[in-house]
Amino acid sequence: MHTSGKGSAVTLDRAQFSRRGFLGLGVAAGVITLTACGSGSGSSDEPLVMTVWGGETDRATYQKRINLLVKKYPDLKVKLQLIPSDSYPQKVQTMIAGGKGPDIMQVAENVNVYSSKNQLRPLDDLVKSAGVDLAERFGGIGSLYSYQDKVYAIPDRSGAMIVYYNKTLFEKKGIKAPTAEWTWDDALDAFKELTSKGKTWGYGGAGWWPQWWSFAYQNGGAIIDANGKPAVDSDEVVEALQWAGDLVFKHGVVPTKAQYADMGTDVGGDQAFAAGTVAVNATGFWAIAGLTDTKFEWDIAPMWRGEKQAVSSFGSGLAISRTAKNPDKAFKAIDFLTSPTAQQQIIATGEDVPANLEVQKSEAFLKPAWMKSTVDMGVFGESSSFLFKAPFIPEWNEMQAAIDTELADFWLGKEKSAKKALTALQKSLESIVKPAG
């Protein structure tokens, strides 16, 4: 799914982005360690250890940011460890259990799998003493990695789920470009117009949790309610999932899994959109890398709305492990790494969307040097106010497994009723999720 484009400086050389969540950002061959040393620190000082996952572009980008950090603060030394994504959680938890956890560690939607085991340090006191305004720096996702009123990570990379659309096909059909003010009905009408049986489909589908969750939150629903209890069997969530399923099995504007298999593309739309077989796709920043050689014009737009605007956020944060020897220095590093100066490197290399809103709205982001097409990158900044806070609960992994199991037949069309599927899922989640408090 992520390939570097011919003639493009952007190289998103990750392995296929996992449909299980953010941790599928790429696989490195092994742990790669790089060190940036500050000349002003004593040789006896141990460097801060920073663990991340990813591929070559991730390694290079993090290192560039660390080099800028050390240039500004010569008293800091940082050792970067790149760990394969599939072994990352086990590796860092083993390090922490042995009393040698990373000082700075990349986390994502499973942040509270760590925090619930007392493996992360709450950052509230450090945030306060440093005078960092998370809402000002990151907007609505400033508290994304908070749990039970404690902050466990600072946003680092974050881009909203956005809409990719086939501009050539839209213009041919006389359909106006999608906007944030599109309703579900507007979207469905466009999908129907854009669907040509057996040739093109209007939409790539919503079977991945960030996609159908967005509809659920747009409809006033929630996966986990304010009291920490599962709420997937609510009328609002049922209506949203039914709408998403009907796009496939009632309206025929989304390919079925069998039709995707016949195309030889991924289920979910990234490759199918690049091939021109789906006209609209809702996904993340990473899909840009696969669109450098398309035979049609394309652009991006904000996600449409339901009763309100709500959309998933992709990304990761930076946390401090409970065993970090110098949390003050670690936070000093995180503070700089999430500042505009360091965050510009994230877009300069085409790695991802920086979480820092100032950078998202800068010329460096809006018109990156490697971008060969005319793309409305301002969509990411516009979408930042629509982001909903997903429930990053300690039982995240078990919750996702239950969702995959209980909705499998629904996404295959064997179970047509969202109500029945979600009633079963509700029962399953109630046996897994322990209410907060």
Side-chain angles (χ1 to χ4, degrees):
M1 186 188 305
H2 306 287
T3 56
S4 57
K6 181 180 178 182
S8 171
V10 63
T11 317
L12 300 188
D13 58 349
R14 305 171 188 157
Q16 182 175 1
F17 189 98
S18 168
R19 290 301 186 196
R20 294 191 301 272
F22 306 132
L23 281 178
L25 291 173
V27 178
V31 177
I32 300 174
T33 300
L34 296 161
T35 305
C37 297
S39 59
S41 62
S43 59
S44 62
D45 290 346
E46 289 186 27
L48 297 172
V49 173
M50 178 174 173
T51 57
V52 300
W53 62 81
E56 175 58 27
T57 297
D58 300 295
R59 180 204 63 74
T61 307
Y62 281 114
Q63 190 62 46
K64 286 181 178 180
R65 294 165 65 195
I66 289 170
N67 292 344
L68 288 173
L69 166 71
V70 171
K71 183 177 180 181
K72 183 173 177 64
Y73 298 114
D75 60 311
L76 294 180
K77 294 188 292 184
V78 180
K79 182 168 67 175
L80 179 67
Q81 289 189 354
L82 190 76
I83 301 172
S85 59
D86 54 357
S87 60
Y88 184 89
Q90 181 181 6
K91 174 71 174 177
V92 295
Q93 289 188 66
T94 299
M95 291 169 69
I96 295 169
K100 296 182 178 180
D103 297 280
I104 303 168
M105 56 185 281
Q106 183 183 12
V107 296
E109 75 279 10
N110 62 353
V111 56
N112 293 307
V113 175
Y114 302 118
S115 70
S116 65
K117 298 175 182 176
N118 196 34
Q119 294 173 330
L120 298 182
R121 177 194 172 100
L123 302 179
D124 305 82
D125 56 339
L126 293 168
V127 170
K128 185 177 180 180
S129 62
V132 176
D133 188 327
L134 297 179
E136 181 180 351
R137 187 177 292 192
F138 308 111
I141 64 159
S143 62
L144 184 64
Y145 302 106
S146 300
Y147 186 66
Q148 295 185 355
D149 299 322
K150 291 183 179 180
V151 175
Y152 286 102
I154 306 301
D156 183 45
R157 293 157 54 177
S158 175
M161 185 166 69
I162 56 170
V163 172
Y164 289 75
Y165 66 99
N166 186 320
K167 196 173 178 181
T168 300
L169 193 53
F170 267 69
E171 291 176 354
K172 181 180 177 181
K173 295 284 187 177
I175 303 172
K176 291 183 179 180
T179 72
E181 294 306 313
W182 259 23
T183 64
W184 289 5
D185 288 341
D186 293 330
L188 178 56
D189 288 344
F191 298 160
K192 288 178 177 177
E193 285 288 318
L194 294 161
T195 297
S196 176
K197 300 298 182 183
K199 294 182 179 180
T200 59
W201 284 262
Y203 181 46
W208 187 25
W209 67 265
Q211 295 165 333
W212 71 267
W213 282 23
S214 293
F215 301 152
Y217 282 84
Q218 287 176 2
N219 205 36
I223 305 304
I224 304 294
D225 68 18
N227 296 317
K229 296 179 180 179
V232 294
D233 64 347
S234 69
D235 292 343
E236 293 82 3
V237 179
V238 168
E239 184 180 18
L241 184 64
Q242 192 67 61
W243 186 78
D246 285 349
L247 294 176
V248 187
F249 303 107
K250 180 180 179 181
H251 303 296
V253 297
V254 171
T256 63
K257 286 191 175 183
Q259 288 168 329
Y260 268 121
D262 289 342
M263 289 182 221
T265 61
D266 62 317
V267 176
D270 289 22
Q271 292 174 3
F273 178 81
T277 49
V278 300
V280 177
N281 188 36
T283 189
F285 168 89
W286 60 85
I288 288 174
L291 299 174
T292 54
D293 294 323
T294 57
K295 295 179 173 60
F296 57 87
E297 287 189 64
W298 59 275
D299 205 343
I300 61 177
M303 191 73 182
W304 55 85
R305 62 180 295 151
E307 293 295 318
K308 59 181 180 179
Q309 287 170 318
V311 67
S312 292
S313 171
F314 302 109
S316 61
L318 297 177
I320 299 176
S321 79
R322 176 61 74 174
T323 60
K325 292 183 177 62
N326 197 324
D328 291 328
K329 280 190 174 182
F331 191 82
K332 184 178 180 180
I334 290 174
D335 188 13
F336 178 82
L337 292 171
T338 57
S339 71
T341 300
Q343 292 256 303
Q344 282 190 6
Q345 295 298 320
I346 298 174
I347 189 62
T349 61
E351 180 196 23
D352 209 341
V353 178
N356 190 294
L357 290 184
E358 183 180 328
V359 180
Q360 284 189 26
K361 295 174 182 177
S362 71
E363 282 297 296
F365 183 83
L366 297 175
K367 295 181 179 179
W370 47 260
M371 182 71 77
K372 304 304 179 185
S373 305
T374 301
V375 177
D376 184 9
M377 295 291 282
V379 165
F380 289 99
E382 180 183 352
S383 300
S384 63
S385 62
F386 309 155
L387 301 174
F388 67 85
K389 185 179 177 183
F392 291 170
I393 58 175
E395 303 87 0
W396 176 268
N397 295 332
E398 294 88 345
M399 177 174 70
Q400 288 299 324
I403 289 172
D404 290 345
T405 298
E406 299 295 353
L407 296 188
D409 284 349
F410 179 79
W411 292 119
L412 287 171
K414 295 179 180 179
E415 173 54 76
K416 297 292 199 299
S417 168
K419 178 66 176 176
K420 287 184 179 178
L422 290 173
T423 297
L425 177 57
Q426 175 74 17
K427 188 176 295 185
S428 181
L429 291 181
E430 285 175 352
S431 69
I432 293 170
V433 178
K434 304 173 185 64

